[in-house]
Amino acid sequence: MWFSFAGFYLGTAISVVTGLQNGVGLTPVMGWMTWQRYRCNVDCVNDPDNCISANLVKTHADRLVSLGLATLGYTYVNIDSCWSSMSRDVSGNLVANETRFPGGIREVADYVHSKGLKLGLYSNMGPKMGDGSPGLNCNSSNCEQARRDINTMVSWGIDSLKVDGDFGADSIAMNESYPTVGGYLATASNRTGRPVVFECSWPAYTARQYPVQYRLMSKHCNMWRNYHDIQDNVDSLWDIANYWATTFDSREGRATGLPLVEFRNTGPGHFNDPDMLLIGQTPCPHSCQPPECPRGMHCGNLTEAEERTQFALWSIWASPLLMSNDLRTIPQHSVELLSNAEVIRVNQDRLGRQGKRVAYSAEFNTEIWSRDLDNGDVAIVARNVGKTSAVRITVPLWLCGFTNATQVDLRDILNHNNLGVHSVEYSLLVDPHDVAMFRVSVQN
């Protein structure tokens, strides 16, 4: 099989940017969040088991522990939008919805912490969040309301804060507003002694208007959203994969104007976030769907092969592993995939270097991704993008920094199989919409 070879940087010296100095997020965060599955379902009268509430968050915290996922590193339990009251209290402070969070966010944080887990929360840089509840309203370098809101949320004991950039946020001001909010967050967390992961949406809203200041962003954000929200279907997953492929392909990157600086400014403490994992999605427990439920749940699911593809790609990209699913009904095969310690080890590799596509065949709909690891190993993903037929993919090992004379040990880390000693190349058959994933080590 013939490949067009992308420009590649594996094996070259790339300096590590120091990033946000808060001591957290040094490897990609792992856990669960509400948004993709539950969206803004606030109907606790008709759908009490699936509405955004303290009960939903606590139940999923319990499941992270009982399924054994917490012990593997899935420790963040993140509440996205639709947690807040629609108005502030009489003193102008943020408050959680009193019906769905009767004990407030502090009570939920205490419960999550009692399980050995961490709580994440959501806000927006604009005056409102998506459901119309109060936002930070910060569009400059001096945002007193945002300072008060950050102090309030940190006082509740949160461990992570995602700040979106829509619904009235000024994208032109984000080079000021995000560092400002990041500074407020650092000051507040230093006061409490509880460091807080800061997720920004800075580049998602500015990249198509003017160049994003990635080096500046890496000093203030632990992770950042770059592209469209993931939706509960394979087409959305494929679109995101194509974005990352063409961003880091030197020729296609120049053609589309997508900056390689997105790759060079990632590392320990600061990572690109391609959005949530769809792994483990199951059908909705009721038939209520939009437009009847305009803020209804999203329950589309992937095939097992497509789930493997997402897990492999997110790990090769050094991306956060934040699933959004119903952990009460998650299939066993999805639990086993999410529990694959060898793939997690690649994702959590302390070098923190994001992998990229190093080979692509438009004719055969196949591609190869590669990532350097801290101990000198290399992780490889061979992907069949096609829908109908299995394809034999040949992986030239020189693409991954090895000479043709180098003897390497190959291990299939999705299936936990040693594949023996190889040099020059390795060939295998990959089913449609599926991947193979290897860890390559120089033979001792």
Side-chain angles (χ1 to χ4, degrees), residues 27-28 30 271 311-319 321 340-355 369-375 377-381 411-414 437-440:
T27 60
M30 300 169 61
F271 295 97
F311 199 50
L313 289 177
W314 262 237
S315 295
I316 211 86
W317 296 340
S319 301
L321 299 180
N340 188 315
E342 293 191 78
V343 178
I344 291 172
R345 184 182 170 200
V346 169
N347 175 266
Q348 296 289 294
D349 184 78
R350 65 181 183 178
L351 185 62
R353 185 169 297 173
Q354 180 165 336
W369 295 76
S370 185
R371 176 184 174 186
D372 283 352
L373 303 176
D374 180 62
N375 69 343
D377 289 358
V378 174
I380 296 174
V381 169
R411 181 167 173 82
D412 175 354
I413 61 174
L414 280 172
M437 189 173 188
F438 314 106
R439 191 177 183 113
V440 186

Side-chain angles (χ1 to χ4, degrees), residues 270-328:
H270 47 284
F271 295 97
N272 289 305
D273 178 11
D275 214 358
M276 294 158 281
L277 295 174
L278 303 176
I279 297 165
Q281 279 276 46
T282 48
C284 286
H286 48 71
S287 60
C288 180
Q289 296 287 351
E292 291 80 8
C293 297
R295 305 298 291 179
M297 296 159 57
H298 283 221
C299 309
N301 62 297
L302 306 178
T303 66
E304 291 187 38
E306 291 158 359
E307 287 192 352
R308 285 191 293 271
T309 297
Q310 187 179 27
F311 199 50
L313 289 177
W314 262 237
S315 295
I316 211 86
W317 296 340
S319 301
L321 299 180
L322 290 168
M323 66 188 97
S324 187
N325 51 25
D326 188 339
L327 290 174
R328 298 163 295 191

